[in-house]
Amino acid sequence: MKIGKIVKSDSHINYVCQIFGPREADIQPGPADYAFGRFVRIAVRSERADDPDALLDEALGQSREPVTYAVGVIYDTILQNPAFGALGPRLSNETQVELFSPDYISEKAVLTYIMVLGMMEERAVFGSEPEVLSVMHGVPLLSLELDSEIETMTDEEVRAFHFFSDPAGGPDSQSPYLHMGYIPHIIAQRSSLLPMVTLRIIDQLERLFPQNLSLLSIVKRNFAWRLKVETTG
Amino acid sequence: MFEESIIESPAQPAYRRPVGITKGPGEATHEFTFVSRDDQQVLKNGEYVYYELADPETVALNNTTGPIPIRRVLGRVIKRVPVQLYPDTFLGEPEIPPAQVAAMVGYNSRTNELFELHVAIMGYYDATTGSFINPWIPPQSGKQIYLADDAMLAQILSRKQHMDPGSATIGSLLTRTPNAVPIVLSVKDLVSTHMAIIASTGAGKSYLASVVIEELMKAQNKACVLIVDPHGEYGTLDQIANYPQFSEDGDGTGRGYRAQVQVYKPDQVKVRISTLNIGDMRQLLPEMTEKQQYLLSRALRKVHETKRSHPWGVADLKQAIKAVSRQKNDEDSEGADDSSTVHALTWRIEQRFEHSFTFDDTQHLDLPEIFRPGQCTVLQLNEIDERDQQVVVATLLRRLNQARMDTERGKVHSGESYLPYPVFVLLEEAHHFAPGGTEVVSTGILKQVLAEGRKFGIGVGLISQRPGKLDADVLSQCQTQCIMRIVNEIDQKSVAAAIEGVGRDLLDNLPALSKGQVIVAGAAVNTPVICRVRTRYTQHGGESKDAPDLWQQYFNKDTQESRRRSDAPLNGNRGFNLLR
Ligand SMILES: Nc1ncnc2c1ncn2[C@@H]1O[C@H](COP(=O)(O)OP(=O)(O)OP(=O)(O)O)[C@@H](O)[C@H]1O
Ligand SMILES: [Mg+2]
């Protein structure tokens, strides 16, 4: 589900997304869709040929071309209200404003901060789940573009983003295993909310990978201790 | 490994690869640290590594004409610290290896093994003096560190080369594969400046001592050895006669050589009563009254005067006691009666000596018979009371010392006390013969032999499981130390106190050594080494008893059968009696 679009970036991996307001999307995203710790993805616009067939395929959702996504997590939300602080006399009430100056209302917005955790490449397969071609955790090479659309990820997609085998050459390149290769760079960021988002991520992964509970508990305990005990104590 | 590198040549063979890079100075001035991945796991504690240095002396002379020789400065790894440890929190789930956690967060764990190694600098080997010279120049940061190869170590750790005349190969360097680097003791230094073997019980002291004896009995040494064996463990050395290692064909000019082993059973170990002095007597007749002691010492003096150097017996001593007491009574006008003292003393002497199988009027161990080059004599003292053992050792050492002194000074030229060659005496359970804190009859003479033995050619090997209970002077007189596993802290401390030559870092390994591993230090080696003792040719006599096995045997069929037969007549008799 598409929830918004990129309106600004703070760095190569931190993006600000404006959530679709009323009438901007088919389905208006609710707060649960852009909740704290939610995994999202952004299609990286590839250099598309101006082939009308391809455009048509894409429009119909039948493209067989691989699509590259940047995968990120929502770690902060800001409610933007230009009217805040303007305490002067009002000429009209809310409904009247909507009626007389629709532009004004659209300046109220929900902004979410997204941190990019990695990339994944998929190819749509007709009539079934898309096929995951590759996954990478860490800083992506390409930056995202303004106005790129942001969509939420399903459990299945989140699972695919975390469970894969190392590219050939690694110690056990054959068997897939649980990855959280973005943790080091989450920690390296200086945002007070990021450790909390890590805990949220782990909670989700615990639900998705019940077989890896004890492995996850090691990271989780470590974070929980640092976050809850050390900062309080 | 890189065995073939040539020691003299500074040219670097292609296959000699550095094992690490110097990091910087270590904790002490003679230490440095280097970092290594140690892929082949060769950099164990105690392993030898070196760095190269332009010869400091040549450089100092400013001699720029010729090429500057390269010295290989050897050092010993004393500590191995992993540089990258998993955080404790990664270790929280026993069934999850931390590498898996690291892999999950994106760390390929194959490359995390990085060690910081602490090295104590020994110096470069100077072949002319056979010692290590510290250049006082630690390696600069960034300098390459090499692993010393087997050939290099074989040349420089030991004083002698394997099979040289006067060499004793007791085993091989522990950190290398068995037999790769033989540890060869210099017998000359071992024998002239005494040796101590110290370890907890069961660590392999007697085993090592037997290996040393085997080496001494080989053709390249043909030593003259006496073993004082309070537990009767060394009897199996008589198998030496069966092994070709201990013989040598004659080369036409002289006779061939074949090592001899003489085992004296406890009842063959005799002490002639006339060799006992008043100290021995006091030990053998404890709790004598002052009067008795006085009487006895006068009687001993008298019997010595009358008999000179001829042997005398119990009867002579008793007579002398009577004579002395009579004489005393005549002197003392008060007419004090000594008859009860005389009676008591005579009675005790009779009790002590007349049925003793150790103390004899005439027989005793003949020195030229028990001390002979190419012969190892084992005196088995088991079954002999501990106090008597001390007297046996004391009298023997006294006689030996006298004989060697007299021979060296040219006072005797033949006969019973003519011993024109040095000897080596191995003393098991040395703490019995020179206990710390108290003085026993053997303490004095043992100290004397240790102090003067070098002059007169008497070498002593001491074996003890309780260095803490051994007289400290005695221990520090031994210039070659073989220290094996020691668990007891007090014993570790007393070893450390008595032995200067061994670094703390080596002694810290003591509790970690296993059976048959020994730290050898002192005069007989160039530098302290940890050695794996070789296997004996002869069987080991000091095996621990396998109690469950022996109990099992008691119940097995054959023995049960034979026991029933031997028990039967008794049972039958009893039954018969009951019937009546
Ligand atoms: N180098 C070795 N190789 C193989 N076995 C060994 C070695 N050293 C010792 N052993 C074994 O260890 C056991 C104990 O050795 P040993 O009798 O020498 O101990 P010890 O130190 O003399 O003990 P104690 O203090 O009781 O006299 C023996 O069974 C012996 O076979
Ligand atoms: Mg023993």
Side-chain angles (χ1 to χ4, degrees):
Chain A
M1 171 191 180
K2 303 230 157 86
I3 56 168
K5 59 185 187 215
I6 293 181
V7 291
K8 172 173 146 54
S9 84
D10 281 351
S11 77
H12 187 64
I13 51 171
N14 287 294
Y15 291 89
V16 182
C17 154
Q18 180 171 353
I19 302 297
F20 291 135
R23 286 184 299 280
E24 275 184 289
D26 303 342
I27 311 164
Q28 156 108 39
D33 298 319
Y34 50 89
F36 182 71
R38 175 114 214 179
F39 281 101
V40 294
R41 66 181 192 182
I42 303 111
V44 179
R45 206 157 54 99
S46 55
E47 262 149 64
R48 228 172 288 149
D50 287 328
D51 179 1
D53 284 351
L55 284 174
L56 181 67
D57 274 354
E58 197 184 314
L60 295 175
Q62 286 176 352
S63 170
R64 313 303 309 277
E65 286 297 304
V67 186
T68 306
Y69 292 96
V71 176
V73 67
I74 295 174
Y75 73 93
D76 208 350
T77 307
I78 285 176
L79 303 178
Q80 195 90 20
N81 182 8
F84 175 71
L87 298 171
R90 274 169 209 265
L91 299 176
S92 41
N93 64 22
E94 294 257 322
T95 19
Q96 287 166 329
V97 168
E98 202 170 328
L99 187 66
F100 297 124
S101 56
D103 289 0
Y104 180 75
I105 198 171
S106 67
E107 281 170 29
K108 277 188 182 171
V110 178
L111 300 181
T112 59
Y113 282 77
I114 290 170
M115 178 154 128
V116 176
L117 305 177
M119 310 279 278
M120 69 194 287
E121 199 182 11
E122 298 190 344
R123 179 164 51 199
V125 176
F126 187 71
S128 79
E129 290 289 317
E131 175 194 9
V132 176
L133 298 176
S134 70
V135 182
M136 185 280 284
H137 285 190
V139 180
L141 296 180
L142 303 177
S143 77
L144 304 175
E145 284 172 288
L146 285 175
D147 292 333
S148 306
E149 287 185 329
I150 290 160
E151 50 186 310
T152 55
M153 287 167 77
T154 63
D155 280 356
E156 213 33 67
E157 286 159 348
V158 172
R159 195 177 286 134
F161 178 66
H162 287 91
F163 197 75
F164 56 93
S165 52
D166 282 329
D172 7 51
S173 49
Q174 302 317 313
S175 57
Y177 62 94
L178 177 60
H179 283 72
M180 290 179 81
Y182 45 76
I183 292 236
H185 91 255
I186 294 191
I187 295 172
Q189 303 301 310
R190 270 211 222 112
S191 160
S192 53
L193 287 170
L194 280 171
M196 285 301 184
V197 93
T198 313
L199 286 182
R200 278 291 304 131
I201 291 175
I202 295 170
D203 284 342
Q204 295 174 61
L205 296 183
E206 278 178 344
R207 184 169 52 80
L208 296 177
F209 298 99
Q211 73 277 21
N212 283 115
L213 274 183
S214 42
L215 181 59
L216 287 165
S217 75
I218 290 178
V219 183
K220 181 175 178 178
R221 259 203 313 260
N222 193 7
F223 265 94
W225 175 267
R226 288 229 295 256
L227 205 63
K228 299 181 176 166
V229 181
E230 278 183 6
T231 49
T232 320
Chain B
M1 264 180 274
F2 332 104
E3 36 265 74
E4 282 161 81
S5 91
I6 303 138
I7 286 145
E8 267 74 40
S9 147
Q12 302 202 357
Y15 40 75
R16 198 187 57 149
R17 278 196 293 117
V19 288
I21 298 275
T22 306
K23 178 174 174 185
E27 282 151 26
T29 47
H30 67 287
E31 291 175 11
F32 69 89
T33 57
F34 73 98
V35 172
S36 171
R37 242 187 12 246
D38 196 18
D39 290 331
Q40 281 141 330
Q41 305 210 312
V42 290
L43 297 172
K44 308 164 191 164
N45 272 335
E47 189 52 274
Y48 296 91
V49 294
Y50 66 89
Y51 61 95
E52 290 180 332
L53 190 71
D55 183 44
E57 282 170 31
T58 319
V59 172
L61 288 176
N62 220 344
N63 182 359
T64 44
T65 50
I68 299 174
I70 300 292
R71 300 294 187 189
R72 293 181 166 183
V73 183
L74 206 64
R76 198 177 48 234
V77 174
I78 52 176
K79 203 157 87 179
R80 174 187 166 108
V81 189
V83 174
Q84 289 163 333
L85 290 174
Y86 286 115
D88 292 356
T89 44
F90 275 30
L91 313 176
E93 291 289 333
E95 72 271 26
I96 304 288
Q100 200 181 333
V101 187
M104 178 174 72
V105 298
Y107 186 77
N108 179 346
S109 53
R110 230 206 228 157
T111 52
N112 88 316
E113 301 272 280
L114 208 56
F115 298 95
E116 178 181 290
L117 293 116
H118 294 236
V119 179
I121 300 176
M122 295 154 58
Y124 59 88
Y125 182 64
D126 182 40
T128 49
T129 59
S131 59
F132 287 91
I133 299 172
N134 191 338
W136 298 111
I137 306 175
Q140 303 108 302
S141 183
K143 217 171 171 110
Q144 290 176 319
I145 302 295
Y146 300 89
L147 186 71
D149 53 75
D150 292 349
M152 174 182 178
L153 291 178
Q155 279 214 352
I156 64 181
L157 294 182
S158 303
R159 283 254 133 114
K160 296 269 178 182
Q161 297 303 300
H162 182 54
M163 297 302 273
D164 275 0
S167 70
T169 307
I170 57 163
S172 56
L173 192 64
L174 181 65
T175 51
R176 300 296 165 95
T177 49
N179 301 327
V181 181
I183 299 297
V184 188
L185 305 186
S186 152
V187 171
K188 172 173 164 261
D189 298 287
L190 183 80
V191 164
S192 62
T193 57
H194 317 300
M195 169 187 75
I197 300 179
I198 307 287
S200 301
T201 178
K205 297 182 298 293
S206 310
Y207 197 101
L208 171 62
S210 307
V211 167
V212 171
I213 299 295
E214 284 182 357
E215 289 295 320
L216 290 178
M217 297 323 292
K218 280 188 177 172
Q220 72 256 29
N221 292 314
K222 304 191 180 68
C224 169
V225 177
L226 176 87
I227 303 174
V228 176
D229 178 13
H231 297 306
E233 309 173 89
Y234 288 88
T236 51
L237 280 175
D238 65 4
Q239 298 164 1
I240 276 180
N242 309 336
Y243 287 86
Q245 289 94 329
F246 305 102
S247 62
E248 186 182 59
D249 292 334
D251 58 355
T253 54
R255 287 174 298 150
Y257 167 73
R258 184 166 291 272
Q260 302 290 316
V261 176
Q262 293 290 334
V263 180
Y264 285 73
K265 297 273 169 217
D267 56 355
Q268 292 172 297
V269 177
K270 301 286 184 196
V271 174
R272 192 185 278 167
I273 290 168
S274 58
T275 59
L276 298 176
N277 64 18
I278 181 70
D280 304 333
M281 287 291 185
R282 253 188 239 126
Q283 164 112 352
L284 294 171
L285 305 168
E287 291 162 28
M288 279 192 286
T289 61
E290 296 235 345
K291 255 187 182 171
Q292 287 174 344
Q293 289 192 34
Y294 175 72
L295 209 54
L296 184 60
S297 67
R298 287 191 52 169
L300 273 175
R301 219 173 302 142
K302 184 173 178 66
V303 77
H304 273 298
E305 275 163 22
T306 51
K307 292 284 181 177
R308 304 267 163 203
S309 58
H310 294 286
W312 45 262
V314 175
D316 300 301
L317 184 59
K318 287 198 294 193
Q319 236 170 30
I321 291 168
K322 286 213 184 78
V324 168
S325 86
R326 234 179 284 125
Q327 190 185 339
K328 182 166 167 285
N329 279 349
D330 293 346
E331 285 165 17
D332 297 354
S333 45
E334 290 133 58
D337 189 11
D338 278 338
S339 63
S340 65
T341 314
V342 172
H343 188 76
L345 187 60
T346 318
W347 184 83
R348 289 197 62 182
I349 288 174
E350 279 170 7
Q351 287 298 310
R352 193 66 184 84
F353 293 115
E354 284 193 341
H355 302 290
S356 159
F357 69 77
T358 305
F359 301 98
D360 195 279
D361 279 0
T362 53
Q363 293 185 62
H364 67 173
L365 297 164
D366 182 51
L367 292 182
E369 212 168 89
I370 59 172
F371 292 110
R372 208 177 264 173
Q375 176 179 310
C376 167
T377 306
V378 180
L379 292 189
Q380 298 195 325
L381 302 184
N382 47 324
E383 295 172 36
I384 299 179
D385 174 81
E386 192 183 306
R387 295 172 144 269
D388 292 11
Q389 286 182 10
Q390 290 165 345
V391 174
V392 170
V393 168
T395 52
L396 190 64
L397 284 179
R398 267 205 310 266
R399 290 172 58 212
L400 171 65
N401 196 39
Q402 194 64 47
R404 282 296 298 152
M405 262 160 47
D406 289 350
T407 310
E408 284 291 297
R409 290 173 175 159
K411 283 194 194 160
V412 293
H413 299 283
S414 63
E416 220 218 346
S417 52
Y418 179 61
L419 286 180
Y421 34 77
V423 302
F424 182 68
V425 179
L426 184 71
L427 209 53
E428 262 275 2
E429 308 286 357
H431 50 275
H432 283 174
F433 303 106
T438 63
E439 188 110 340
V440 299
V441 277
S442 40
T443 309
I445 182 66
L446 188 57
K447 281 187 181 173
Q448 190 186 343
V449 167
L450 286 167
E452 299 174 358
R454 188 205 288 264
K455 270 185 273 170
F456 300 114
I458 304 174
V460 180
L462 298 179
I463 302 180
S464 176
Q465 45 176 296
R466 295 309 308 271
K469 291 197 173 158
L470 187 62
D471 189 285
D473 290 347
V474 164
L475 187 55
S476 58
Q477 286 281 359
C478 298
Q479 304 291 307
T480 300
Q481 300 96 19
C482 303
I483 311 154
M484 310 179 84
R485 180 184 164 83
I486 297 179
V487 197
N488 185 311
E489 286 227 6
I490 298 169
D491 287 343
Q492 284 178 26
K493 287 218 180 82
S494 54
V495 166
I499 296 167
E500 313 116 36
V502 190
R504 234 332 341 138
D505 62 286
L506 269 186
L507 291 181
D508 283 344
N509 292 324
L510 285 180
L513 293 178
S514 341
K515 204 178 264 186
Q517 301 179 343
V518 59
I519 298 175
V520 187
V525 283
N526 280 333
T527 179
V529 287
I530 306 188
C531 169
R532 173 196 300 112
V533 177
R534 69 163 172 78
T535 36
R536 284 179 64 168
Y537 303 117
T538 54
Q539 208 185 333
H540 187 50
E543 300 295 343
S544 345
K545 291 249 182 298
D546 184 352
D549 185 54
L550 295 173
W551 292 330
Q552 291 292 336
Q553 274 176 29
Y554 183 86
F555 283 100
N556 84 18
K557 255 213 199 121
D558 304 350
T559 48
Q560 224 164 354
E561 190 60 36
S562 73
R563 203 164 46 241
R564 184 162 332 118
R565 245 179 278 124
S566 64
D567 288 353
L570 190 69
N571 285 342
N573 268 344
R574 214 180 280 148
F576 181 71
N577 285 339
L578 278 176
L579 265 180
R580 284 220 149 175

